[in-house]
Amino acid sequence: MSPAPDALQRRHRFQWWELLPWATGLAMFFAFPNYLSFGTQLLVTILFALSLDLVLGYAGIVTLGHAAFFCVGAYTVGILAQQLGWNEPLSGLVAAGLAAGIVGLISGFVLLRTHGLTLLMVTLCTMTLLEQAANMGHAWTGGFDGMPGLSFTMILGLFPFDVLYFKSQYLYSLSVLALGFVVVRTLVYSSFGQSLTGIRENLLRMHAVGAPVRGRLIVAYGISAALAGVAGGLFTQVTGYVNLAVLGLERAAGVMIILILGGHGRLYGAFVGAVAYLVLEHLLAKAYPTAWQLGLGLTLVAVALFARGGLIGLFEKLRGAR
Amino acid sequence: MLETRGLCKNFGALEVAREVNFRLELGARHALIGPNGAGKTTFVNLLTGVLAPSRGSILLEGEDVTALAQAKRVKRGIARTFQINQLFRGLTVQENVCIAVSERLGVGGAMLRSAGQRADVLAEAARLIEMLKLGNDTGRRIIELPYGRQRLVEIAIALGLSPRVLLLDEPAAGIPSAETHILLDAIATLPKDIAVLIIAHDMDRVFRFAERITVLVSGAVFAEGTPQEIAANREVRAVYLGSALDA
């Protein structure tokens, strides 16, 4: 189905249905008070997936190393809290975003000289190097054991972290996700976002219209890294620990699977994909405790073959066919 | 306006451009012709910075732009179309043209304002879309358009850059003959201070359009002159034009 002729002029306007994910998020808070720990993890995962969507879905940068920025954010907050006694949560998140953003800009400057399979490999290698660095820097990072038992001051000086029921953490994460979403939404609908889509669609043409392609990609990579860093910092704050698991391949691949399931380059793909992934994981693990990943793999094959735009793409296709 | 001096390009032992000395004057309507494999597209790629020359220089209004990257040459006013469409296939016609116009107006990297709120960009894109009779296709994605219509979008993008030098690589290829007048009208309405270099195989079109013709053979300039001089050149006829003119 073709977009309406004035779709470009209207697409940045908020639609009524865009309230649904946020209303659902708030409803969860009241309806499932015993699952707020799980809900908080889900919100952090969505923010992380959203950060990847900016580079993967919109700019077409295929990377397996995005967990590196999540790790930088997570360890920044952890090190600040444990080594320097900086336990204020909001400024901790800002520091996490800044640190990951700077690492993103520097690594993007080097890594984005490559593309395709080479980029995939070097981003993966970068993540492994960082994992080893975190392991070796025991004095600062806690090495393999990480940094358990971190504590943080009250959010805005008003809301204490609720280690038992995660109430504050949940609402705090929902607020940070909303802020991150507004940033990504503003970016992708801007001229900058449009040019990123242009780069994804046709690199040769973008050069031929005089766009500073590499510069744009590095900036997008840096912003995306900063958001991933905020997600990592949030993870450390809400769980109260950080260890090498934040850098695992499982996290890096998992967030990509989430986008493939939900639909990359579609803003809400991260939301739908994260929920679908976790529900699928839960159901499959219940049905086949020893082989649930096989089911996940088969689902991914089916999505790749029959629903390239993920669940949102499938929905759009069905709506268009009506 | 645009000039090359001793321009050479080698791919290993293969010479695809050999000592090309070429001038495109201000406001010129110039055609570049030659048999398949003569190096016409390579020459355009050298002019636009897609390829770096092995030797020689390229001057734009007397200034050496040989070392400038492609994007910077576009900013100096060199725009092109491609022999095979190079469009943003998943985006609409409007978005395709808006991307070019945004870059030209220097707002392509703006992050805070929605692309749909840029009245200046939208108005300029709408003007170009109407000029190329693409008004009914504004909201259609490129992949939904017939190839001939896509060619017109290719031209609209190039014009969206407000070029001073426009390089058209086989612009009419794939456009149905009933629609070629749209393209020719668009070219005819270009301001006279824009220099246009067209690569075309349709000799009838070349001789109607061009005030000057350069014949390229095996990467080197074989002949240059007015259409009448080229048509009367027996060597050119032997090498290239014979069958086309006799027909």
Side-chain angles (χ1 to χ4, degrees):
Chain A
M1 190 176 64
S2 245
D6 61 346
L8 178 62
Q9 289 94 314
R10 289 191 292 110
R11 70 175 181 183
H12 63 278
R13 294 181 198 159
F14 273 99
Q15 307 290 318
W16 67 267
W17 54 262
E18 288 189 85
L19 285 172
L20 287 177
W22 310 105
T24 309
L26 275 177
M28 258 194 79
F29 178 78
F30 296 105
F32 303 104
N34 295 330
Y35 290 91
L36 292 184
S37 166
F38 170 78
T40 305
Q41 291 297 330
L42 180 66
L43 296 174
V44 172
T45 305
I46 292 172
L47 181 60
F48 184 34
L50 202 58
S51 75
L52 180 64
D53 202 19
L54 187 62
V55 287
L56 177 71
Y58 287 91
I61 301 171
V62 183
T63 168
L64 258 180
H66 217 57
F69 307 120
F70 187 90
C71 158
V72 170
Y75 271 96
T76 299
V77 167
I79 291 169
L80 284 174
Q82 193 171 71
Q83 308 286 349
L84 306 173
W86 186 355
N87 295 36
E88 201 287 312
L90 287 180
S91 56
L93 282 191
V94 172
L98 279 175
I102 291 167
V103 173
L105 284 174
I106 294 169
S107 63
F109 187 76
V110 179
L111 299 179
L112 294 177
R113 290 172 190 274
T114 63
H115 60 273
L117 198 58
T118 315
L119 180 61
L120 207 66
M121 285 299 106
V122 290
T123 50
L124 194 59
C125 291
T126 308
M127 206 173 69
T128 313
L129 285 172
L130 209 61
E131 187 177 6
Q132 282 313 310
N135 194 20
M136 290 164 72
H138 190 274
W140 286 86
T141 62
F144 185 78
D145 298 325
M147 289 175 274
L150 299 170
S151 61
F152 298 90
T153 59
M154 288 192 285
I155 303 159
L156 296 170
L158 298 170
F159 309 103
F161 279 88
D162 182 351
V163 287
L164 205 54
Y165 296 107
F166 272 68
K167 281 185 178 174
S168 308
Q169 285 96 315
Y170 183 85
L171 291 177
Y172 175 52
S173 300
L174 190 64
S175 308
V176 175
L177 173 63
L179 203 64
F181 178 76
V182 169
V183 170
V184 174
R185 193 183 186 281
T186 306
L187 278 178
V188 300
Y189 287 154
S190 70
S191 301
F192 175 76
Q194 196 173 48
S195 77
L196 291 184
T197 313
I199 292 169
R200 182 196 69 200
E201 290 280 318
N202 194 329
L203 194 63
L204 186 63
R205 171 49 81 183
M206 276 312 275
H207 281 294
V209 298
V213 170
R214 193 153 167 267
R216 294 262 165 86
L217 288 178
I218 291 171
V219 170
Y221 200 65
I223 295 171
S224 164
L227 278 169
V230 171
L234 193 59
F235 172 85
T236 302
Q237 290 178 348
V238 297
T239 57
Y241 72 87
V242 55
N243 59 26
L244 290 178
V246 294
L247 256 176
L249 182 61
E250 198 180 324
R251 185 177 297 278
V255 75
M256 194 181 267
I257 292 171
I258 282 171
L259 281 185
I260 293 168
L261 271 179
H264 58 285
R266 283 176 159 80
L267 262 184
Y268 288 96
F271 292 75
V272 174
V275 173
Y277 180 76
L278 292 174
V279 167
L280 204 62
E281 190 182 69
H282 176 73
L283 293 178
L284 287 170
K286 206 170 169 184
Y288 310 102
T290 53
W292 66 271
Q293 282 170 323
L294 178 68
L296 185 66
L298 289 173
T299 310
L300 275 179
V301 171
V303 168
L305 287 176
F306 305 112
R308 292 232 169 144
L311 292 171
I312 291 190
L314 195 64
F315 173 74
E316 286 171 351
K317 205 185 273 184
L318 292 173
R319 203 178 59 160
R322 272 197 293 137
Chain B
M1 185 91 197
L2 185 65
E3 187 183 350
T4 67
R5 291 181 188 164
L7 203 64
C8 297
K9 179 66 188 175
N10 301 342
F11 291 114
L14 182 68
E15 275 189 305
V16 290
R18 294 186 292 140
E19 295 291 335
V20 179
N21 294 306
F22 172 84
R23 267 186 86 85
L24 187 67
E25 302 293 347
L26 182 74
R29 298 295 181 263
H30 200 126
L32 185 65
I33 63 172
N36 285 336
K40 303 182 294 291
T41 298
T42 301
F43 183 61
V44 170
N45 285 338
L46 288 167
L47 291 177
T48 51
V50 174
L51 293 173
S54 306
R55 284 194 311 282
S57 56
I58 301 162
L59 293 94
L60 180 64
E61 293 181 326
E63 188 188 348
D64 194 332
V65 295
T66 317
L68 280 189
Q70 191 181 1
K72 288 191 174 157
R73 292 190 205 190
V74 176
K75 299 286 183 210
R76 303 276 174 106
I78 302 178
R80 71 173 293 183
T81 64
F82 290 86
Q83 189 175 5
I84 297 166
N85 289 341
Q86 294 294 339
L87 300 168
F88 309 114
R89 292 171 55 79
L91 305 186
T92 64
V93 170
Q94 186 186 34
E95 285 171 315
N96 269 262
V97 182
C98 278
I99 286 176
V101 176
S102 297
E103 292 302 333
R104 195 244 301 171
L105 295 177
V107 298
M111 297 181 182
L112 297 179
R113 206 159 133 206
S114 162
Q117 288 175 306
R118 297 256 167 211
D120 48 350
V121 174
L122 293 170
E124 175 65 0
R127 187 185 70 78
L128 291 165
I129 287 167
E130 279 307 315
M131 180 177 158
L132 287 153
K133 308 282 188 281
L134 287 163
N136 291 335
D137 299 317
T138 300
R140 292 178 73 191
R141 290 195 184 92
I142 297 299
I143 45 173
E144 298 167 358
L145 294 182
Y147 191 80
R149 308 291 285 165
Q150 293 183 20
R151 293 300 289 164
L152 296 173
V153 180
E154 182 90 8
I155 309 281
I157 288 177
L159 294 179
L161 299 170
S162 266
R164 289 188 293 155
V165 176
L166 181 58
L167 311 172
L168 302 171
D169 195 353
E170 300 275 5
I175 299 183
S177 49
E179 291 182 7
T180 49
H181 72 276
I182 299 172
L183 168 75
L184 296 174
D185 289 350
I187 295 173
T189 55
L190 290 175
K192 286 295 170 198
D193 57 346
I194 294 180
V196 182
L197 176 69
I198 189 168
I199 295 176
H201 275 298
D202 181 342
M203 285 306 116
D204 187 39
R205 192 168 296 138
V206 165
F207 279 86
R208 270 193 294 148
F209 163 82
E211 294 156 357
R212 202 155 180 85
I213 297 174
T214 297
V215 184
L216 211 60
V217 177
S218 302
V221 174
F222 186 77
E224 188 172 326
T226 62
Q228 294 73 25
E229 287 167 349
I230 294 297
N233 187 319
R234 298 174 70 85
E235 288 173 313
V236 172
R237 292 175 75 98
V239 169
Y240 178 56
L241 288 178
S243 57
L245 283 185
D246 293 341

